[in-house]
Amino acid sequence: MTLRYLTANLAQQIDEELMGAAGAFSLDQLMELAGLACAQTLATVYPRERYSRVLVGCGPGNQGGDGLVAARHLAMFGYKPTVYLPKLGSKEIYKRLHSQCQNMDIATINTEDDLRRRLEESDVVLDAIFGFSFQPPIRSPFDTALKLITDSKLPIVSVDIPSGWNVEEGNKDHVALRPDVLISLTAPKEGVRGFKGRHFLGGRFVTKEMERKYQLNLPEYPGFAQIVELPSGVSQKEKL
């Protein structure tokens, strides 16, 4: 059966049910599993022997929380991550995740100049800036950050939805990141149907009951892996 792609409303509904009686997960659990899947994806495509220096861009929401978890796991995998955090999230969980990174001696930068310099010293970017709840326009300082990341020509791994993309219509404004790798969480979103790069599914936490209820038709995860690779779609040029 065909894998289901989620609208913004359906993705939000599933998230709420995962943390409600149907799933009984805490936000901490979901972020930990999602961030681990993101770190595994980057490590699968970009081995640390050649791509050890990772710039992890984190927004102030839950997407950024996933990025902070991923940065911590990447450090444990032997990578050398740096967190770009122009705006610290206000939730207590976000502050704790950031403290965990600091306890792992992971550097945090927050200025445009620091970002420009660190991009010159990095091998790959993990994009966890905007999530599926993003609404345009892209505001400062994130508009400049996305341009600097794009101009760096570094390979990009995006979390769930590439930053700046509309969750249902994709990169319709042509101002967003165009990643080489995408890690969809729970299930892929409508806006990435035409994504051509390597596409992975992660977040091995969806209950069997929920999968049946929403007819997600998720693929089997291999062994103990937290990710599974999906077929690529049409080229981004064709889609644009």
Side-chain angles (χ1 to χ4, degrees):
M1 292 183 286
T2 304
L3 177 67
R4 184 170 190 180
Y5 284 68
L6 305 181
T7 63
N9 287 340
L10 186 53
Q12 181 64 40
Q13 184 176 340
I14 291 175
D15 268 10
E16 290 173 358
E17 288 194 27
L18 281 167
M19 289 183 285
F25 283 97
S26 67
L27 180 59
D28 302 63
Q29 286 178 294
L30 294 178
M31 279 190 174
E32 189 66 26
L33 291 169
L36 176 57
C38 295
Q40 279 196 4
T41 298
L42 187 144
T44 296
V45 182
Y46 299 104
R48 80 177 179 198
E49 291 76 16
R50 290 186 57 196
Y51 300 93
S52 64
R53 302 171 301 176
V54 185
L55 191 287
V56 184
C58 296
N62 289 349
Q63 188 92 336
D66 295 342
L68 291 171
V69 173
R72 170 163 46 83
H73 282 291
L74 286 168
M76 292 178 175
F77 294 170
Y79 287 80
K80 299 174 183 177
T82 296
V83 170
Y84 169 61
L85 188 65
K87 183 179 180 182
L88 183 66
S90 60
K91 293 181 180 178
E92 183 62 28
I93 183 177
Y94 197 103
K95 295 174 182 178
R96 285 191 285 107
L97 292 174
H98 185 229
S99 293
Q100 290 169 9
C101 286
Q102 292 176 312
N103 293 339
M104 288 290 295
D105 295 329
I106 298 172
T108 297
I109 60 173
N110 52 34
T111 70
E112 179 182 325
D113 287 340
D114 284 342
L115 175 60
R116 184 180 287 106
R117 283 193 295 268
R118 194 53 66 115
L119 284 168
E120 293 175 353
E121 300 168 355
S122 297
D123 302 307
V124 59
V125 174
L126 180 64
D127 158 38
I129 298 175
F130 297 137
F132 64 75
S133 60
F134 164 77
Q135 294 292 333
I138 303 172
R139 297 178 175 84
S140 177
F142 300 105
D143 52 351
T144 301
L146 294 193
K147 185 178 188 308
L148 288 173
I149 292 171
T150 298
D151 291 347
S152 74
K153 307 299 183 183
L154 291 173
I156 300 170
V157 179
S158 282
V159 176
D160 207 26
I161 189 81
S163 287
W165 287 36
N166 181 287
V167 70
E168 295 174 9
E169 300 177 50
N171 189 13
K172 65 173 187 175
D173 296 324
H174 314 303
V175 295
L177 296 183
R178 300 182 68 175
D180 305 272
V181 179
L182 176 66
I183 169 68
S184 290
L185 299 173
T186 305
K189 312 308 181 286
E190 283 286 352
V192 304
R193 279 186 180 272
F195 182 71
K196 187 183 179 183
R198 293 187 69 177
H199 189 182
F200 293 80
L201 179 66
R204 198 173 181 175
F205 42 64
V206 179
T207 66
K208 292 297 183 183
E209 178 182 352
M210 197 171 296
E211 184 177 350
R212 289 190 295 268
K213 176 181 177 180
Y214 291 104
Q215 299 179 325
L216 299 178
N217 303 321
L218 302 177
E220 290 291 328
Y221 286 83
F224 49 77
Q226 296 298 308
I227 57 174
V228 57
E229 188 160 6
L230 304 175
S232 296
V234 299
S235 74
Q236 293 298 301
K237 289 183 180 178
E238 287 176 330
K239 187 176 181 185
L240 297 175

